Amino acid sequence: MRELARRIDAATPPGRDRAVDALRAIAVLGVVLGHWLVTALVTDGGALRGTSPLAHMRQLAPVSWMFQTLAVFFLVGGYAATRSHGRARSRGTAYRQWLGSRLARLFGPVAAVLTLWTVASVAMLAGGTDLGTLRTLLNLVLSPLWFLLVFAALTAATPLVARLHPLWPLAVVLHVDLFRFGFEAPAALRWINLAAGWLVPYCLGAAWARGGLRGRGTGWALLGAGAVATAGLVLWAGYPASMVGVPGQTVSNLDPPTLAAVTFGLAQCGAALLLLGPLRRAMRRPVLWAAVALLNLSAMTVFLWHQTALMSVTATGLLAGAPLPGLHTAPDGPAWVLARLAWLPVFAAALAVCLAAFRPYEHGTRRGRSSRVVLRSAPARGSRTHV
């Protein structure tokens, strides 16, 4: 392992900002662990239904603050797309070619997920699976894909929004929530925030790529202002404390993003900027950098298959004949939390199997193209090729 880490460290382009990759890895792991901790599939009369420990134990809301890391992902996405588009323009690459390459990296691996679950759904229906159970499972698989659609739209709009000040989409979110909650505007109005809400961190990332957001003062300002605004919205404006959706709540901070979710994202972006220095120092360690580099090379596979890993473990556990604590039982107390923590390594093992099976689909669409995370060396000839 140390030799592999040394080789990855030596094969990394010298000018690469490893802290950016570390932030992306943190964001991906936050989504995965967050879903594994707040998603519960309980047996109910022979069927499976979805629920959440946050619906039973409201004191666990701070858990969502740690693992709802989407703003960091959009921050890094805006940074990476802006820099990538700038390099493409300097090389004379057409916008259509640049966008096609970016979107292929997003949607190529999706085909494998949709194919497998289409086949599985047909098989389950033929086998007499309860429709409610199938709906629950498909919702867990397909609902995270909204992220890809929004991210793709923002990527396509990069040339237009790269110089947009984040205050403009923030003002849109503010006014949408004002009309939505203050004047009982039509519910459909809220979907404007699906783009405007995530455009805020994306624009921050674009500003970062242009050389803005320099100095720790910017990070502290975003962290402080975002945290104070979020606390005020939760304590005095009635926004939910949880930064993820909770079954049974009339308002979700993520469906679509509310003003509280956006201000919370600003605080996260500030914290991310403050972490850049420590992360750059940490990434000098070959073992840590190798873990981050490998995760980035499989980020789409991890994102697309982590819920399947959870469901496969849950389904396999049904063979035990009785509900297993932390897996099939109601998430209504500390005992469930401890049991669920014990299941995390099992979910990780199932995800590792998915990675072994489906990671080639992530890179098969990019065969012959280069990834700038690492360069694979060929010691015998002393040459290097991009992977």
Side-chain angles (χ1 to χ4, degrees):
M1 292 297 293
R2 289 186 178 275
E3 175 61 19
L4 174 63
R6 187 197 65 78
R7 290 173 58 190
I8 292 175
D9 181 64
T12 301
R16 186 170 188 86
D17 191 344
R18 301 182 182 192
V20 176
D21 294 290
L23 287 177
R24 185 186 292 110
I26 290 171
V28 172
L29 288 178
V31 171
V32 171
L33 291 176
H35 282 158
W36 284 354
L37 288 172
V38 304
T39 301
L41 293 171
V42 300
T43 54
D44 184 9
L48 288 175
R49 62 178 179 85
T51 185
S52 170
L54 298 175
H56 300 271
M57 296 174 281
R58 298 298 175 89
Q59 67 273 21
L60 293 181
V63 172
S64 68
W65 306 346
M66 293 185 289
F67 295 109
Q68 199 282 81
T69 52
L70 288 173
V72 177
F73 205 107
F74 280 94
L75 173 76
V76 175
Y79 172 87
T82 302
R83 285 176 57 88
S84 173
H85 183 252
R87 289 192 299 264
R89 289 186 62 185
S90 66
R91 294 192 303 265
T93 303
Y95 166 76
R96 181 178 299 180
Q97 182 180 352
W98 170 81
L99 180 62
S101 175
R102 302 291 293 186
L103 295 186
R105 300 176 189 181
L106 287 177
F107 290 111
V110 173
V113 176
L114 296 180
T115 300
L116 182 140
W117 274 98
T118 298
V119 173
S121 299
V122 172
M124 284 188 284
L125 284 175
T129 300
D130 175 74
L131 286 177
T133 295
L134 182 58
R135 188 181 303 110
T136 296
L137 298 180
L138 289 178
N139 180 64
L140 291 178
V141 172
L142 299 178
S143 59
L145 297 185
W146 69 262
F147 156 82
L148 294 181
L149 297 176
V150 176
F151 195 82
L154 295 184
T155 300
T158 296
L160 297 177
V161 304
R163 295 189 175 276
L164 181 67
H165 197 287
L167 285 179
W168 288 109
L170 179 61
V172 171
V173 174
L174 170 63
H175 283 85
V176 167
D177 274 18
L178 180 63
F179 283 105
R180 176 185 172 190
F181 299 121
F183 298 97
E184 299 182 355
L189 182 69
R190 64 192 176 117
W191 293 109
I192 296 175
N193 282 355
L194 188 59
W198 299 120
L199 190 54
V200 174
Y202 196 88
C203 288
L204 281 172
W208 177 20
R210 298 195 309 268
L213 310 185
R214 300 296 183 185
R216 294 180 63 82
T218 302
W220 282 114
L222 286 171
L223 176 59
V228 169
T230 305
L233 290 169
V234 170
L235 293 175
W236 296 300
Y239 283 84
S242 172
M243 289 300 145
V244 299
V246 178
Q249 281 191 342
T250 56
V251 176
S252 166
N253 275 320
L254 277 189
D255 189 26
T258 62
L259 182 61
V262 174
T263 57
F264 177 76
L266 290 176
Q268 282 188 319
C269 291
L273 294 175
L274 293 172
L275 283 174
L276 287 175
L279 286 175
R280 287 177 181 132
R281 292 189 291 271
M283 291 301 104
R284 295 172 189 164
R285 300 179 182 179
V287 173
L288 290 178
W289 167 241
V292 167
L294 292 174
L295 177 56
N296 272 272
L297 288 172
S298 303
M300 278 297 296
T301 306
V302 170
F303 176 78
L304 290 171
W305 291 96
H306 72 279
Q307 291 286 58
T308 299
L310 180 149
M311 288 182 283
S312 64
V313 173
T314 303
T316 303
L318 291 173
L319 300 177
L324 297 177
L327 201 60
H328 311 115
T329 54
D332 54 4
W336 184 93
V337 175
L338 294 176
R340 174 50 62 100
L341 290 174
W343 282 107
L344 293 184
V346 185
F347 297 156
L351 180 57
V353 174
C354 293
L355 280 172
F358 298 104
R359 185 174 177 270
Y361 290 93
E362 180 167 357
H363 297 280
T365 58
R366 291 150 51 184
R367 190 166 296 152
R369 300 179 185 177
S370 62
S371 170
R372 298 175 180 269
V373 178
V374 296
L375 299 165
R376 179 170 293 163
S377 59
R381 295 188 297 271
S383 62
R384 298 191 297 183
T385 56
H386 286 84
V387 297

